[in-house]
Amino acid sequence: MEFSKCWLDYSPAEIKEKALFTLAVLCEGSIVESAVKEYDMAIQGMTAVKPEIVKERKPESVVLLLDEFLPVGKDGYEIRREESSYCITGQSESGVLYGVFHFLRVIRTGHLEEFPIQNAPEMPLRIMNHWDNMDGSIERGYSGESFFYKDYEILYNERTEQYVRMMASIGINAIVINNVNVHEKETYLITDTYLEQVKQYSDLFNRYGIKLFTSVNFAAPMELADFDNCDPLNERVAAWWKETAKHIYEVIPDFGGFLVKADSEGRPGPFTYDRTHADGANMLARALKPYGGIVIWRCFVYNCGQDWRDKKTDRARAAYDNFIGLDGQFDENVILQIKNGPMDFQVREPVSPLFGGLKKTNMILEVEIAQEYTGQQIDLCYLLPMWREILDFDTFVRGEGSTVLNIVKGQTHGQKLCGMAAVINTGDDYNWTGNDLAAANTYGYGRLAMNPSLDSESIAKEWTELTFGKAPEKEIVAMLMNSWNTYEKYTSPLGIGWMVTPHYHYGPDVDGYEYDRWGTYHRADRNGLGVDRTPAGTGYTAQYNEPWASVYAEKEKCPEELLLFFHYVGYEEKLKSGKTLIQHIYDTHFEGVEEVEKMITVWKGLQGKIPSDAFDRVSERLERQLANSVEWRDRINTYFYRKSGVLDDKGRKIYE
Amino acid sequence: MEFSKCWLDYSPAEIKEKALFTLAVLCEGSIVESAVKEYDMAIQGMTAVKPEIVKERKPESVVLLLDEFLPVGKDGYEIRREESSYCITGQSESGVLYGVFHFLRVIRTGHLEEFPIQNAPEMPLRIMNHWDNMDGSIERGYSGESFFYKDYEILYNERTEQYVRMMASIGINAIVINNVNVHEKETYLITDTYLEQVKQYSDLFNRYGIKLFTSVNFAAPMELADFDNCDPLNERVAAWWKETAKHIYEVIPDFGGFLVKADSEGRPGPFTYDRTHADGANMLARALKPYGGIVIWRCFVYNCGQDWRDKKTDRARAAYDNFIGLDGQFDENVILQIKNGPMDFQVREPVSPLFGGLKKTNMILEVEIAQEYTGQQIDLCYLLPMWREILDFDTFVRGEGSTVLNIVKGQTHGQKLCGMAAVINTGDDYNWTGNDLAAANTYGYGRLAMNPSLDSESIAKEWTELTFGKAPEKEIVAMLMNSWNTYEKYTSPLGIGWMVTPHYHYGPDVDGYEYDRWGTYHRADRNGLGVDRTPAGTGYTAQYNEPWASVYAEKEKCPEELLLFFHYVGYEEKLKSGKTLIQHIYDTHFEGVEEVEKMITVWKGLQGKIPSDAFDRVSERLERQLANSVEWRDRINTYFYRKSGVLDDKGRKIYE
């Protein structure tokens, strides 16, 4: 089994400092053991010398300590120089592990001047969601097949172990091991059919400070037992879940809990029985509560049988409309998982207004590392700048400073169960992520969830150095940092989204979703395009607190990158740049392709500075990205030229 | 196993004439035996009395005779009254069988005054093409799964027998048992893996005067043997095919031959080796020739990797451009199978210009009974009027009267191997064809291929009477006769085609194929739509003989139903009716839905006159058709309203 080490690359490096060759372990526990194992592996990898591992303090050593009163925050750590030694003190076992990973990062990148370091995860929950199915496929997976499952069997091998180390190294502390769309076989994950094997995963995860969660099928009592309903207020149903939870915890005492997609895109849920999401979630939560388990309930609930003729119904409103009335009704061990935007992981969306609405409900921000709508790990699209913007968005729910970040780290409302979740982009490809550079998103997500004040560029640098060393750093960081902007330029304009090939979501199809049932329309006609979501239109803007409600509702004030999301705009209306909308569309689409061409030139210049296999893999992806960007440019330009009849004022080629 | 008897319904009927209860069989052979068996089954079914079957003439009997000098044409027959007896004389065994089926039809519908009858098949070959795959699926099948195959096994059961009787009853004399896209397992149909079972089919078919053909994989030598190429001029490849043919005929002496889709939509073919289609077809033909086998070579060859930006390449030109230069180069036992139109079975296309081009090549006209683009056996679309128009189209290849019919019946060029082929619409649904009324197309195709001078309405009447009796005849015939026109009205306008959901081909998606690689464009912009195929455009019109080349090239002369196929027309240009193009689009789309509504009213009036299961099945289809027509109407109208900005002059609802 061959696979890339990614950012845990401990290949030979020059290490002279004597202290690094002795590890004094003054604490214990299974997670500490993982930290020791990692350190041992790293030093051996880098130096071919096995470090001495001792149980007492020694001069010139690296000392591991655990101090639960260390004033750094839960699972935090401190790294100090003490004379000729280094002390890594964890607030917990996880803190020790995170400290060791941090220390190894510093060694590997040679920034030893940075000490002392004090750090702690800022968000309580830092979750990965796998959309892996037990047949081995991955929903929205672009990096091969699942490494968790094959033919309805659970896999356990070297890859599993490296995977968990990778997750721990970036601070992940919860993993959901199966797709939110729970199919037939996956329903059995919480039964004896699979529990022993799930326990094997859970044990491994625990040794790295990670809780295991499963996605569950709300209709499980009907599929697994002989129930004719799964009404959450049916006492027999509730009792079944209690029994089920009891049994899960008998087998897996450290089980994290359930992730649930209910009443969404055809999944079963409480609506069938005229019950609320709170009824559904609380019923499950009560089953898990005796064991400390939690329920994560997704807010991706909308009418997916919409009529394109209907201009009043607005999918963007759905999450807010469905959940705002339930604020305060969820049990303490329920968390709502809210997608970053009101639609579905488009290249540009406003922040979901639900973050600025709920006050008495635990919330998790859900983002998608898997590049479903952002190039599918063929096209380069470094997503950290997008996530940064989302976290920094001020909801004003409790006045200024109520940013999404402050909400999901528990500061705004004082919540304990909150954080971030992300749909991961990994698979069993050699390089884990299809495009080698897409691992920057995997890495970056964890780093951001752990330390959300980090800026995107620092994370890009860190990842690049760990993965490829210093030589190509500048160029790769520049490529990463521009890539989201570039992708946005050649795809759908100004926040309107959705002009993608239906179902696949790669490549352009301007009208692909325009007359469909998914509530995803651009409303382009011969005069202009865009969706009026102001009070005169669908009224969506009113879901925001002020000043956003007003800002978004006024065409002149609306942030331009979201203009078509909120407003219908004529092709010949002027933007702030002084350009007409149609000219902006043409310009950005020509620019997008030019930027991809430049990226290819930059990449070619890196030949020799990057291992040749990785170089070739990325080169191949970039060529496909170029073809994709050309197709987008031409189709978008032609589509709007045919509709508007307006020529490009620079006279470039637009096909008729 | 339950299935409908379709038009071979021998349910109780009042039969008084004594002659019908004695069958005097004065000829012999396995096909005659099938005729006797059919007669026996029919009389028993209708009267519950077993007819007496004797070997000598008797007064008051039905006499079966064979007279190869009967002056009616090959496989023809004569039915006469002789005093109180009926004489059915066949020119061949098949003639006897066809005569018996005709006689039974007459008995069943009570038209005994029609005698004497002389009739003979007018086309030498009357072929059914099955697009059945051995996994049990049917490409473009809308009536359940295959009844030939399941899980790569060949089925043989009661359904097989009724199927063959149905085919013989309408005069089919050749059946291709597998999909032209020959997948991995189907490649083995001509090997010992399956030959014994194929022989079972062939034996059954032969007893009904039908030859069995298989579709073959041109790359079979590479897949079945260890060849590294399948170059038709490679002597070893040719030798392999000769050996293979020899073996096939050892097992199945009556084997018909091969159908080949080569160099089309990704299928292998001679182009790979810079060889012509003639090279490929002749190589196979020479392998079959010693045994009387034939090769049917499809002309559905085009560039399916076209660039939508390219306005010069024209898929419509492809069949002609690919094959016209090969006229006269094909061996005598090769036939080219040419789709009726230059595109692909759209609701309206001009006739393929290849029919008016080739002079020294055997030709078969290919039509599609399976309603791939014409409502998928959900929507009612009786196709006989379309086929009638195609057959009556005068190519002028040898002056006036060179109709497609005269070409494919061998009159124009004196060809012996010619006729019609059709992609059948059957599956293992109870009613065989998804929509019970779609069986009118199955039936009608055979009747038309046998007697192409029959008009569509007579065939509709005949089928309706045989299937449902006289009571609902008038209404059903009217429904059938209007249905193509109705379907055309609510789908894509004036011959432009293709505005369907990609891949599925049901339901509207105006731009679904507009920017794709299939060469299927409508070129709609804010001013108009249509493809310029005149000499100023793609030059396609020049592939026709005069007067068509001129007629099609001139917008004013061009038959209006094909206007957008040949010309780009402005929305506000006037049609012959005085209406603008855009108003014509709106009007036809509103009318189409209204006609479906009327059809439903008519159908509802038939309750009680039709077996209730069939009534319910058709009712359900009609409701789906209505929903489909509404969706087509609204999407097409909105699409063109958004592009044109022109309001409906009758003020009806067009969504913005």
Side-chain angles (χ1 to χ4, degrees):
Chain A
M1 185 175 290
E2 279 276 314
F3 44 84
S4 157
K5 303 283 182 238
C6 290
W7 59 84
L8 295 183
D9 171 37
Y10 299 135
S11 58
E14 205 177 333
I15 291 179
K16 291 175 182 165
E17 209 165 347
K18 194 173 159 227
L20 303 186
F21 293 92
T22 303
L23 184 70
V25 186
L26 305 187
C27 49
E28 57 185 19
S30 66
I31 301 175
V32 170
E33 275 169 35
S34 298
V36 172
K37 194 172 148 195
E38 190 72 26
Y39 188 84
D40 182 59
M41 186 189 312
I43 297 298
Q44 284 199 64
M46 291 188 278
T47 67
V49 174
K50 190 171 165 55
E52 192 184 3
I53 294 163
V54 296
K55 291 281 179 190
E56 68 281 4
R57 233 177 237 274
K58 282 211 175 179
E60 287 191 291
S61 67
V62 175
V63 187
L64 299 191
L65 296 154
L66 197 155
D67 172 6
E68 61 178 302
F69 301 107
L70 188 76
V72 286
K74 185 167 177 340
D75 296 340
Y77 54 87
E78 184 189 66
I79 312 176
R80 281 180 291 111
R81 282 208 79 124
E82 280 188 7
E83 296 172 7
S84 54
S85 287
Y86 294 94
C87 273
I88 304 174
T89 311
Q91 182 275 332
S92 64
E93 282 198 68
S94 288
V96 173
L97 181 65
Y98 296 152
V100 166
F101 274 118
H102 194 143
F103 187 64
L104 289 171
R105 216 150 57 211
V106 167
I107 294 175
R108 187 88 197 136
T109 56
H111 298 282
L112 280 94
E113 69 287 357
E114 283 179 9
F115 303 118
I117 290 168
Q118 281 202 332
N119 193 25
E122 290 182 50
M123 300 189 196
L125 287 163
R126 304 170 302 280
I127 311 176
M128 284 296 190
N129 286 185
H130 279 265
W131 286 0
D132 293 36
N133 300 314
M134 293 196 72
D135 63 1
S137 66
I138 302 176
E139 186 165 328
R140 309 305 173 189
Y142 311 105
S143 320
E145 298 290 293
S146 173
F147 48 77
F148 281 165
Y149 314 107
K150 187 183 164 78
D151 300 335
Y152 306 105
E153 296 296 330
I154 297 183
L155 306 173
Y156 192 106
N157 53 43
E158 304 144 59
R159 207 185 246 274
T160 328
E161 300 198 358
Q162 182 179 321
Y163 162 75
V164 177
R165 290 171 47 231
M166 283 163 62
M167 294 299 101
S169 76
I170 55 173
I172 297 304
N173 68 350
I175 291 172
V176 188
I177 62 166
N178 63 304
N179 189 358
V180 290
N181 292 315
V182 183
H183 307 295
E184 190 194 335
K185 295 273 187 175
E186 291 82 354
T187 303
Y188 288 83
L189 272 173
I190 53 170
T191 72
D192 283 334
T193 311
Y194 292 116
L195 265 183
E196 278 299 334
Q197 285 165 284
V198 173
K199 176 183 161 54
Q200 246 199 320
Y201 272 3
S202 181
D203 288 348
L204 171 65
F205 290 9
N206 287 169
R207 292 199 294 276
Y208 285 85
I210 298 168
K211 289 262 192 189
L212 180 145
F213 288 69
T214 61
S215 296
V216 294
N217 180 348
F218 194 79
M222 298 167 73
E223 297 201 18
L224 299 179
D226 271 344
F227 286 79
D228 61 3
N229 69 69
C230 55
D231 181 351
L233 299 195
N234 177 341
E235 281 177 24
R236 290 182 51 242
V237 168
W240 184 88
W241 279 108
K242 281 191 172 143
E243 269 311 300
T244 300
K246 181 161 173 263
H247 184 63
I248 294 170
Y249 281 92
E250 277 164 8
V251 181
I252 310 174
D254 294 307
F255 186 73
F258 299 150
L259 174 63
V260 192
K261 175 177 179 176
D263 289 317
S264 172
E265 297 181 334
R267 305 304 306 161
F271 281 175
T272 311
Y273 311 101
D274 276 330
R275 310 304 184 194
T276 68
H277 285 278
D279 294 330
N282 293 343
M283 183 268 293
L284 295 176
R286 283 159 203 171
L288 297 174
K289 192 177 163 104
Y291 319 100
I294 61 178
V295 167
I296 305 173
W297 192 270
R298 290 178 91 232
C299 294
F300 186 57
V301 177
Y302 67 99
N303 171 10
C304 66
Q306 198 177 321
D307 191 330
W308 59 269
R309 299 164 187 80
D310 170 6
K311 287 188 150 183
K312 282 294 170 194
T313 303
D314 183 359
R315 169 168 167 181
R317 298 184 55 114
Y320 188 96
D321 285 345
N322 274 302
F323 285 91
I324 194 69
L326 302 174
D327 194 21
Q329 296 182 26
F330 291 96
D331 283 6
E332 275 187 4
N333 62 331
V334 174
I335 314 177
L336 295 189
Q337 182 165 310
I338 305 167
K339 285 197 183 189
N340 62 271
M343 299 299 276
D344 188 17
F345 300 136
Q346 301 302 292
V347 68
R348 175 78 68 173
E349 290 186 41
V351 167
S352 171
L354 204 47
F355 288 109
L358 299 171
K359 291 176 181 166
K360 295 170 280 180
T361 304
N362 297 316
M363 281 177 270
I364 280 174
L365 164 65
E366 178 180 330
V367 298
E368 194 183 38
I369 312 176
Q371 290 171 237
E372 178 178 0
Y373 293 96
T374 52
Q376 303 199 350
Q377 289 135 248
I378 298 162
D379 299 29
L380 186 62
C381 192
Y382 179 58
L383 295 165
L384 271 287
M386 181 204 287
W387 300 335
R388 179 80 268 147
E389 281 189 20
I390 293 159
L391 289 169
D392 291 343
F393 179 80
D394 197 339
T395 68
F396 292 93
V397 60
R398 292 193 191 269
E400 205 166 335
S402 309
T403 59
V404 172
L405 170 56
N406 286 336
I407 291 167
V408 299
K409 72 190 214 187
Q411 184 176 305
T412 303
H413 306 302
Q415 288 147 0
K416 298 275 174 274
L417 290 177
C418 44
M420 274 182 91
V423 182
I424 198 168
N425 62 347
T426 52
D428 72 356
D429 275 359
Y430 171 81
N431 65 4
W432 298 81
T433 52
N435 189 330
D436 289 64
L437 302 185
N441 287 325
T442 330
Y443 182 86
Y445 163 72
R447 296 290 288 120
L448 191 72
M450 182 102 167
N451 291 129
S453 52
L454 286 173
D455 66 78
S456 311
E457 187 162 356
S458 307
I459 294 175
K461 271 187 192 156
E462 197 176 283
W463 173 81
T464 305
E465 259 191 75
L466 290 170
T467 307
F468 295 121
K470 283 200 205 323
E473 184 199 293
K474 194 167 141 259
E475 289 82 358
I476 292 180
V477 169
M479 283 173 69
L480 291 170
M481 288 303 292
N482 292 331
S483 58
W484 175 40
N485 189 37
T486 298
Y487 189 82
E488 185 177 25
K489 278 186 175 177
Y490 63 75
T491 57
S492 72
L494 300 178
I496 192 73
W498 294 110
M499 296 175 172
V500 292
T501 308
H503 185 69
Y504 303 104
H505 302 170
Y506 187 77
D509 185 348
V510 182
D511 272 4
Y513 278 113
E514 184 59 11
Y515 299 87
D516 218 325
R517 64 189 177 90
W518 302 95
T520 52
Y521 313 113
H522 56 64
R523 308 292 188 194
D525 60 20
R526 73 195 320 254
N527 302 310
L529 82 155
V531 178
D532 184 355
R533 291 192 161 101
T534 70
T538 72
Y540 166 77
T541 55
Q543 293 185 343
Y544 288 91
N545 300 311
E546 289 294 353
W548 291 116
S550 303
V551 165
Y552 288 145
E554 282 184 51
K555 212 187 252 189
E556 293 67 31
K557 288 189 188 164
C558 181
E560 205 155 80
E561 68 275 12
L562 290 168
L563 189 62
L564 300 175
F565 189 91
F566 287 107
H567 299 275
Y568 175 90
V569 181
Y571 294 123
E572 312 235 28
E573 283 187 52
K574 289 268 169 72
L575 304 186
K576 284 165 191 157
S577 60
K579 282 182 193 176
T580 60
L581 170 60
I582 187 74
Q583 192 58 42
H584 173 86
I585 291 174
Y586 295 155
D587 284 350
T588 47
H589 284 80
F590 284 109
E591 285 162 23
V593 174
E594 286 158 18
E595 289 174 15
V596 176
E597 286 165 346
K598 275 182 209 148
M599 212 150 44
I600 292 175
T601 308
V602 169
W603 185 255
K604 282 185 178 159
L606 294 178
Q607 191 156 23
K609 293 185 181 179
I610 288 192
S612 66
D613 61 329
F615 181 83
D616 291 344
R617 284 192 301 267
V618 174
S619 299
E620 182 263 355
R621 299 271 153 166
L622 285 168
E623 289 302 327
R624 287 164 72 186
Q625 175 169 12
L626 180 61
N628 189 39
S629 67
V630 166
E631 195 62 27
W632 271 98
R633 175 195 68 195
D634 288 346
R635 284 213 214 174
I636 294 279
N637 285 348
T638 294
Y639 181 95
F640 287 106
Y641 171 70
R642 287 188 185 182
K643 275 227 156 106
S644 70
V646 180
L647 292 164
D648 171 41
D649 68 11
K650 298 190 180 64
R652 291 163 294 193
K653 181 70 186 170
I654 293 178
Y655 297 87
E656 289 187 352
Chain B
M1 185 176 291
E2 279 276 313
F3 45 83
S4 158
K5 303 284 183 237
C6 291
W7 58 86
L8 295 183
D9 170 39
Y10 301 133
S11 59
E14 206 179 333
I15 291 179
K16 292 174 180 166
E17 209 165 347
K18 194 174 160 224
L20 302 187
F21 294 91
T22 304
L23 184 70
V25 185
L26 305 187
C27 48
E28 57 184 19
S30 65
I31 301 175
V32 170
E33 275 169 34
S34 298
V36 172
K37 194 172 148 195
E38 190 73 26
Y39 189 83
D40 183 60
M41 184 189 311
I43 297 298
Q44 285 199 62
M46 292 188 279
T47 66
V49 175
K50 189 170 165 56
E52 191 185 2
I53 293 164
V54 296
K55 291 282 181 190
E56 67 281 5
R57 236 178 236 272
K58 283 208 171 183
E60 288 191 289
S61 68
V62 174
V63 187
L64 298 191
L65 296 153
L66 196 155
D67 172 5
E68 63 179 300
F69 300 105
L70 187 76
V72 286
K74 185 167 179 337
D75 295 340
Y77 53 88
E78 183 189 66
I79 312 176
R80 281 179 292 113
R81 281 208 80 122
E82 281 189 6
E83 297 172 7
S84 54
S85 287
Y86 294 93
C87 273
I88 303 174
T89 311
Q91 182 273 334
S92 63
E93 282 199 66
S94 288
V96 173
L97 180 66
Y98 297 152
V100 166
F101 273 118
H102 194 145
F103 187 65
L104 290 171
R105 215 148 59 210
V106 167
I107 294 175
R108 189 86 198 138
T109 57
H111 298 282
L112 280 92
E113 69 287 355
E114 284 179 8
F115 303 118
I117 289 168
Q118 282 202 330
N119 193 24
E122 290 181 50
M123 297 190 199
L125 287 163
R126 305 170 301 280
I127 311 175
M128 284 296 191
N129 286 184
H130 279 266
W131 286 359
D132 293 35
N133 300 314
M134 293 196 74
D135 62 1
S137 66
I138 300 177
E139 185 165 328
R140 308 304 172 189
Y142 312 104
S143 319
E145 298 289 293
S146 173
F147 48 76
F148 282 164
Y149 314 106
K150 188 181 164 78
D151 299 335
Y152 306 104
E153 295 296 329
I154 297 182
L155 306 174
Y156 192 107
N157 53 42
E158 305 142 61
R159 205 184 248 273
T160 328
E161 299 197 359
Q162 182 180 321
Y163 162 76
V164 176
R165 289 171 47 231
M166 283 162 64
M167 294 300 102
S169 76
I170 55 173
I172 298 302
N173 67 351
I175 291 173
V176 188
I177 61 167
N178 63 304
N179 187 358
V180 290
N181 292 315
V182 182
H183 307 295
E184 191 194 332
K185 294 272 190 177
E186 291 82 354
T187 303
Y188 287 83
L189 273 172
I190 53 170
T191 71
D192 283 333
T193 311
Y194 292 115
L195 266 182
E196 278 300 333
Q197 286 165 284
V198 173
K199 175 183 162 55
Q200 246 199 319
Y201 272 5
S202 180
D203 288 348
L204 171 65
F205 289 8
N206 287 168
R207 293 198 294 276
Y208 285 86
I210 297 168
K211 290 262 191 189
L212 179 145
F213 288 68
T214 60
S215 296
V216 293
N217 180 348
F218 194 78
M222 297 167 73
E223 298 200 17
L224 300 180
D226 271 344
F227 285 80
D228 61 2
N229 69 71
C230 56
D231 180 350
L233 300 194
N234 176 341
E235 281 176 23
R236 289 183 54 241
V237 168
W240 183 89
W241 280 107
K242 281 191 171 143
E243 267 313 297
T244 300
K246 179 161 174 264
H247 184 63
I248 295 170
Y249 280 93
E250 276 164 10
V251 180
I252 311 173
D254 294 308
F255 185 74
F258 299 148
L259 174 62
V260 192
K261 175 177 179 178
D263 289 317
S264 173
E265 297 180 335
R267 306 304 307 160
F271 282 175
T272 311
Y273 311 100
D274 276 331
R275 311 304 183 194
T276 69
H277 284 278
D279 294 329
N282 292 343
M283 183 268 293
L284 294 176
R286 284 161 203 170
L288 297 174
K289 194 177 164 109
Y291 319 100
I294 60 178
V295 168
I296 305 173
W297 192 269
R298 290 177 92 231
C299 294
F300 186 55
V301 177
Y302 68 99
N303 171 11
C304 66
Q306 198 177 321
D307 190 331
W308 58 270
R309 299 163 187 83
D310 169 7
K311 287 187 148 178
K312 282 295 171 190
T313 302
D314 182 358
R315 169 167 166 180
R317 298 184 56 114
Y320 188 95
D321 285 344
N322 274 302
F323 286 92
I324 195 68
L326 302 175
D327 194 22
Q329 296 182 26
F330 291 96
D331 283 7
E332 273 186 6
N333 62 330
V334 173
I335 314 176
L336 294 190
Q337 181 165 312
I338 305 167
K339 286 198 181 187
N340 62 270
M343 299 299 276
D344 188 17
F345 300 135
Q346 300 303 291
V347 68
R348 175 77 68 174
E349 291 185 43
V351 167
S352 172
L354 203 48
F355 287 110
L358 298 172
K359 291 177 180 166
K360 293 170 283 180
T361 304
N362 297 317
M363 280 176 272
I364 281 175
L365 165 65
E366 177 180 330
V367 298
E368 194 183 37
I369 311 176
Q371 291 172 238
E372 177 178 0
Y373 294 95
T374 52
Q376 303 199 349
Q377 289 134 249
I378 298 163
D379 300 29
L380 187 63
C381 191
Y382 179 58
L383 294 165
L384 272 285
M386 181 204 286
W387 300 334
R388 179 79 268 146
E389 281 189 19
I390 293 158
L391 289 170
D392 291 342
F393 179 81
D394 198 337
T395 67
F396 291 93
V397 59
R398 292 192 191 269
E400 207 166 334
S402 309
T403 60
V404 172
L405 170 56
N406 287 337
I407 292 167
V408 298
K409 72 189 214 189
Q411 185 176 307
T412 303
H413 305 301
Q415 287 148 0
K416 298 275 172 273
L417 290 177
C418 43
M420 273 182 92
V423 182
I424 197 168
N425 62 346
T426 52
D428 72 355
D429 275 358
Y430 171 81
N431 65 4
W432 298 81
T433 53
N435 190 331
D436 289 64
L437 302 185
N441 287 326
T442 329
Y443 182 85
Y445 163 72
R447 295 290 288 119
L448 190 73
M450 182 102 165
N451 292 130
S453 52
L454 287 172
D455 66 80
S456 311
E457 188 162 355
S458 308
I459 294 174
K461 272 188 190 154
E462 196 176 283
W463 173 81
T464 306
E465 261 192 75
L466 290 170
T467 306
F468 295 120
K470 283 201 206 321
E473 184 198 293
K474 194 168 139 255
E475 289 82 357
I476 291 180
V477 169
M479 282 174 70
L480 290 172
M481 288 304 291
N482 291 332
S483 58
W484 175 41
N485 190 35
T486 298
Y487 188 82
E488 185 177 24
K489 278 185 176 179
Y490 63 75
T491 56
S492 72
L494 300 178
I496 192 74
W498 294 110
M499 295 176 174
V500 292
T501 308
H503 185 70
Y504 303 105
H505 302 170
Y506 187 77
D509 186 347
V510 182
D511 273 3
Y513 278 114
E514 184 59 11
Y515 299 88
D516 217 326
R517 65 187 175 89
W518 303 95
T520 52
Y521 313 113
H522 55 64
R523 309 289 187 194
D525 60 21
R526 74 195 318 253
N527 303 310
L529 82 154
V531 178
D532 183 355
R533 290 192 161 103
T534 70
T538 72
Y540 166 77
T541 54
Q543 293 185 343
Y544 288 91
N545 300 312
E546 289 297 352
W548 292 116
S550 303
V551 165
Y552 288 146
E554 283 183 50
K555 213 187 250 189
E556 294 67 32
K557 290 189 187 162
C558 181
E560 206 153 81
E561 69 274 14
L562 290 169
L563 189 61
L564 299 176
F565 189 91
F566 286 108
H567 298 275
Y568 176 89
V569 181
Y571 294 121
E572 312 237 27
E573 284 187 50
K574 291 267 169 72
L575 303 186
K576 284 165 191 156
S577 60
K579 283 181 194 176
T580 60
L581 170 61
I582 186 73
Q583 192 56 43
H584 172 87
I585 292 174
Y586 295 154
D587 285 351
T588 48
H589 284 79
F590 284 109
E591 286 162 25
V593 173
E594 287 158 16
E595 290 174 13
V596 176
E597 286 165 344
K598 276 182 206 145
M599 211 149 47
I600 291 176
T601 308
V602 169
W603 185 254
K604 282 184 177 157
L606 294 179
Q607 192 156 22
K609 293 186 181 174
I610 288 191
S612 67
D613 62 329
F615 180 83
D616 291 343
R617 284 192 301 268
V618 174
S619 299
E620 181 262 355
R621 299 270 153 166
L622 285 168
E623 288 303 325
R624 288 165 70 187
Q625 176 170 12
L626 180 61
N628 188 39
S629 68
V630 166
E631 195 61 28
W632 270 98
R633 176 196 67 194
D634 288 346
R635 283 214 214 172
I636 293 279
N637 285 348
T638 295
Y639 182 94
F640 287 106
Y641 171 71
R642 286 189 184 181
K643 275 227 157 109
S644 71
V646 180
L647 292 164
D648 171 40
D649 68 11
K650 299 189 179 65
R652 292 162 294 194
K653 180 69 186 171
I654 293 179
Y655 297 87
E656 287 187 354

